[in-house]
Amino acid sequence: MRGPLGAAETAGGSSADPPLGSDFPLTRLQLLTHQWRSEPPAERNTEVKSIPTVAMRSSVPLYLCLLLCACLGVACVVGVCVWNSQWHGGFAWDDSGLKFNWHPVLMVSGLVVVYGFGAVLYRVPLTWGGDKLPWKLAHAGAMLLALVLAVVGLCAVFQNHATNHIPPLYSLHSWVGICSVALFATQWAVGVGAFLLPCSPVALRVLLKPLHVWLGASILTLSIAACVSGINEKLIFALKGTANGTANGTLPYSALPPEAVFANSLGALIVVFGLVVLRILSNRSWERPEPGGQDTAYRPLLQEENE
C-alpha cells in the first residue's frame, strides 16, 4: 500500500527519510492528509488517520501566538493614540505643543508594532510555500515602513524641542531611542544589500544571517525599552500636581491619577507584545522550512528559486 507520499519517498530516497519540510506542522499535515485521502477507504488505518490530527494540534500554539501578537499590536497603537488624544489635546503638525504628540504614536507604531509584525512575517505558515522572493520583499517593505515612521517621529520631537528651546538628547530615554533607530537603519540597509541584491555572495549571506536575526531581536528589545522609558518620562513631566491637585489641575504621578494608570498599562501592554514576538522568533520549530535546511538557500533578488 503506497500513495503519492510513498512514491515521492521512493523517488527521493528511502522511506526513512522524510520529505523536505516534513518536520514542520503545516507541511507534515498536508503530506499526511494527502496520503490518507489518496488511499482506498478499506486500506485506511486509524494510525494514519490520527497523525494529521496530531500535526494540526501541534500547530495550534503557533496560530494562537500569531493571533495574540496581532491583537496586542493593534491594542498598543490604539492605546497610545487614545492617551495623547484624551489627556494631551490631540495632534497637529505646527509650532504648537501638539506636534510632540506625534512622537510617541509614531515611535510605538513604527519601532515596536510594525517592526514586530515584520519580524514574525516568516513565521506565518502562509509564507512557507512557493517562491520566497515576494515574502522577502514584504519583509523589507514592512521594515522600511517601520523605519520611516520612526524617522518622522524623531522629526516631531526634535522640531518641538527646537521650538521650545529644550536641549535634545539629554536623557537616557533619548539615548536608547536614537541608538535603536540608528541600529535599525543600519540593519535594514545591510539586510537589503546582503539578502536582496544580485551581487551579494552566498558566503556573505551565510555569515550575516545569524547576526541579522540576533540584531533584529536586540533592536526590538531596545525599542521597547525606549518606549517604556519615554512613557515614564512623559508622565513625570506632565503629572506635577500636589497631593490635592492644585498645581496644573492634576494629581501627582505618585497618586496614580487615571492618566497614570492608563499610560502605565500601555507600557505593560507594549512589553507583553514584545515578549510574544520574541517567543515566536525563538521557537525554531516555527521557522520557515528552507530547501535542504541550508542557510545557502537564501537567494538574492532576481536569483530566487521556487521552493
Side-chain angles (χ1 to χ4, degrees), residues 15-89:
S15 60
D17 298 326
L20 172 62
S22 62
D23 54 332
F24 293 88
L26 185 61
T27 308
R28 181 64 172 166
L29 174 62
Q30 292 171 338
L31 290 172
L32 292 171
T33 303
H34 188 190
Q35 178 188 20
W36 181 72
R37 288 179 176 175
S38 64
E39 296 175 350
E43 297 182 2
R44 295 175 183 172
N45 57 71
T46 57
E47 180 181 1
V48 174
K49 286 191 293 184
S50 64
I51 295 177
T53 303
V54 174
M56 176 63 77
R57 289 176 180 174
S58 66
S59 65
V60 169
L62 170 59
Y63 290 110
L64 290 177
C65 283
L66 290 172
L67 178 61
L68 181 60
C69 177
C71 293
L72 289 173
V74 172
C76 288
V77 175
V78 172
V80 70
C81 290
V82 170
W83 177 36
N84 286 276
S85 298
Q86 180 71 23
W87 284 282
H88 296 285

Side-chain angles (χ1 to χ4, degrees), residues 219-244:
I219 291 171
L220 178 62
T221 303
L222 287 174
S223 300
I224 292 172
C227 289
V228 171
S229 61
I231 291 173
N232 184 249
E233 185 178 290
K234 177 65 176 178
L235 290 174
I236 291 174
F237 288 154
L239 302 178
K240 294 181 177 180
T242 60
N244 56 11

Side-chain angles (χ1 to χ4, degrees), residues 266-279:
L266 172 62
L269 197 65
I270 292 173
V271 172
V272 174
F273 172 80
L275 292 175
V276 173
V277 171
L278 293 176
R279 174 68 182 93

Side-chain angles (χ1 to χ4, degrees), residues 122 132-133 135-137 139-140 186-213 290 295-304:
Y122 289 136
K132 188 178 180 180
L133 177 58
W135 302 112
K136 280 188 174 185
L137 296 175
H139 174 73
T186 303
Q187 165 92 331
W188 187 86
V190 173
V192 169
F195 299 109
L196 286 178
L197 295 185
C199 58
S200 61
V202 172
L204 178 63
R205 298 197 299 275
V206 173
L207 177 66
L208 288 181
K209 182 188 174 185
L211 178 62
H212 185 78
V213 173
E290 300 292 347
D295 289 336
T296 55
Y298 279 83
R299 296 287 186 265
L301 190 63
L302 305 181
Q303 296 181 14
E304 195 73 34

